[in-house]
Amino acid sequence: MNADIGSSKSSTLATHLTELRDRLIRVLAALLISTLCLMPFSQDIYSLVAGPLLQYLPEGGSMIATEVTSTFMAPLKLVLCAALALSMPVFLFQLWGFIAPGLYRNEQKFGIPLLISSVLLFYLGIAFAFYVVFPLVFSFFSGATPEGVSYTPDISLYLNTVIKLFLAFGLTFEIPIATVLLISSGITSRKALIEKRPYIIISCFVVGMFLTPPDIISQALLALPMIILFELGLFFSLFVKENKND
């Protein structure tokens, strides 16, 4: 009988590993397809992302490439990041498909809206960074250039900063989802989070300091949405049932 139980467990584990492998293959395939589809448009993507900085450069100014491979590797890195963002829904839905069978039916119904919301919020964070943060930050940097200094940013360093900001704001906009999940799972309670609100606000500014360039504008533009999104998470947690662990 023990042998049958052990065999059953081994079979179940093998089934889960096979399913995990298949889902990872689908995610990698989506990433590869997205990359191949975006490669012909690498220069267009670069021009789009570089736009918020180029418009604030002095007349006749341009970015520079200080490394031999920068003109090729920088746009390629940007394409890979764009492909990753484009295939994010596939990754999340594959992750959901893997863990959903182990959840209760009411948890599954609750999970689908959260999954869709997390995808939309991630893209909303990227859009906020591009249309709101970038113009303010790059206008500040360009205007702060001392007289007699030529403002010619390096293409690789610029794209590294842009990708970092995209990721920071994309993940930051997931705060309402994280807040709701923490409360609904019983890890913490709405009351406890409200009591810790002052510490959370301070933490938002600390996180903004580490995730953004060393200027007060971008730090505040990350910290303030984090605080607002945390409050939104608390609001939406009113509509979910708390799983109180004794």
Side-chain angles (χ1 to χ4, degrees), residues 68-96:
V68 176
T69 59
S70 292
T71 53
F72 173 77
M73 293 302 299
L76 177 61
K77 184 189 295 185
L78 192 58
V79 167
L80 291 174
C81 291
L84 183 61
L86 189 63
S87 58
M88 185 63 68
V90 177
F91 170 76
L92 291 176
F93 277 99
Q94 290 300 321
L95 178 63
W96 170 252

Side-chain angles (χ1 to χ4, degrees), residues 108-156:
Q108 292 180 359
K109 292 180 180 179
F110 179 65
I112 292 296
L114 282 180
L115 183 64
I116 296 174
S117 299
S118 65
V119 174
L120 295 178
L121 285 171
F122 181 78
Y123 289 143
L124 184 61
I126 291 177
F128 180 82
F130 185 78
Y131 290 106
V132 178
V133 178
F134 287 4
L136 291 174
V137 171
F138 299 138
S139 173
F140 169 78
F141 284 146
S142 178
T145 304
E147 186 177 351
V149 176
S150 177
Y151 185 56
T152 53
D154 177 71
I155 180 175
S156 295

Side-chain angles (χ1 to χ4, degrees), residues 208-223:
M209 179 178 64
F210 283 104
L211 294 183
T212 60
D215 68 283
I216 189 82
I217 295 178
S218 54
Q219 291 171 10
L221 287 174
L222 181 60

Side-chain angles (χ1 to χ4, degrees), residues 1-245:
M1 184 174 179
N2 290 335
D4 292 338
I5 295 175
S7 176
S8 176
K9 289 182 178 179
S10 299
S11 177
T12 303
L13 178 60
T15 301
H16 286 318
L17 290 176
T18 301
E19 182 185 1
L20 179 61
R21 179 202 63 190
D22 293 341
R23 293 189 180 279
L24 286 174
I25 290 174
R26 294 185 192 121
V27 170
L28 292 175
L31 180 60
L32 178 61
I33 293 172
S34 299
T35 302
L36 293 176
C37 290
L38 292 175
M39 279 298 293
F41 307 100
S42 61
Q43 292 301 321
D44 296 321
I45 295 173
Y46 162 75
S47 298
L48 176 67
V49 174
L53 174 64
L54 293 177
Q55 64 179 324
Y56 293 110
L57 291 180
E59 185 177 353
S62 64
M63 284 192 280
I64 60 172
T66 57
E67 298 179 2
V68 176
T69 59
S70 292
T71 53
F72 173 77
M73 293 302 299
L76 177 61
K77 184 189 295 185
L78 192 58
V79 167
L80 291 174
C81 291
L84 183 61
L86 189 63
S87 58
M88 185 63 68
V90 177
F91 170 76
L92 291 176
F93 277 99
Q94 290 300 321
L95 178 63
W96 170 252
F98 183 73
I99 65 176
L103 302 177
Y104 294 109
R105 183 171 298 179
N106 63 324
E107 292 175 329
Q108 292 180 359
K109 292 180 180 179
F110 179 65
I112 292 296
L114 282 180
L115 183 64
I116 296 174
S117 299
S118 65
V119 174
L120 295 178
L121 285 171
F122 181 78
Y123 289 143
L124 184 61
I126 291 177
F128 180 82
F130 185 78
Y131 290 106
V132 178
V133 178
F134 287 4
L136 291 174
V137 171
F138 299 138
S139 173
F140 169 78
F141 284 146
S142 178
T145 304
E147 186 177 351
V149 176
S150 177
Y151 185 56
T152 53
D154 177 71
I155 180 175
S156 295
L157 296 178
Y158 169 72
L159 291 182
N160 287 341
T161 301
V162 165
I163 292 170
K164 183 179 179 181
L165 287 173
F166 275 146
L167 183 61
F169 280 89
L171 295 178
T172 294
F173 272 62
E174 301 292 333
I175 287 178
I177 304 297
T179 303
V180 171
L181 287 176
L182 287 172
I183 294 173
S184 63
S185 63
I187 295 176
T188 187
S189 65
R190 188 172 185 275
K191 181 180 178 181
L193 289 177
I194 291 175
E195 291 175 349
K196 296 174 182 175
R197 180 183 279 133
Y199 304 102
I200 293 174
I201 291 175
I202 294 174
S203 299
C204 289
F205 282 95
V206 173
V207 171
M209 179 178 64
F210 283 104
L211 294 183
T212 60
D215 68 283
I216 189 82
I217 295 178
S218 54
Q219 291 171 10
L221 287 174
L222 181 60
L224 293 178
M226 289 176 69
I227 297 171
I228 295 173
L229 291 165
F230 168 71
E231 296 295 337
L232 282 176
L234 287 179
F235 172 75
F236 285 116
S237 68
L238 291 171
F239 303 99
V240 300
K241 182 178 178 182
E242 289 190 34
N243 182 14
K244 296 182 180 180
N245 295 327

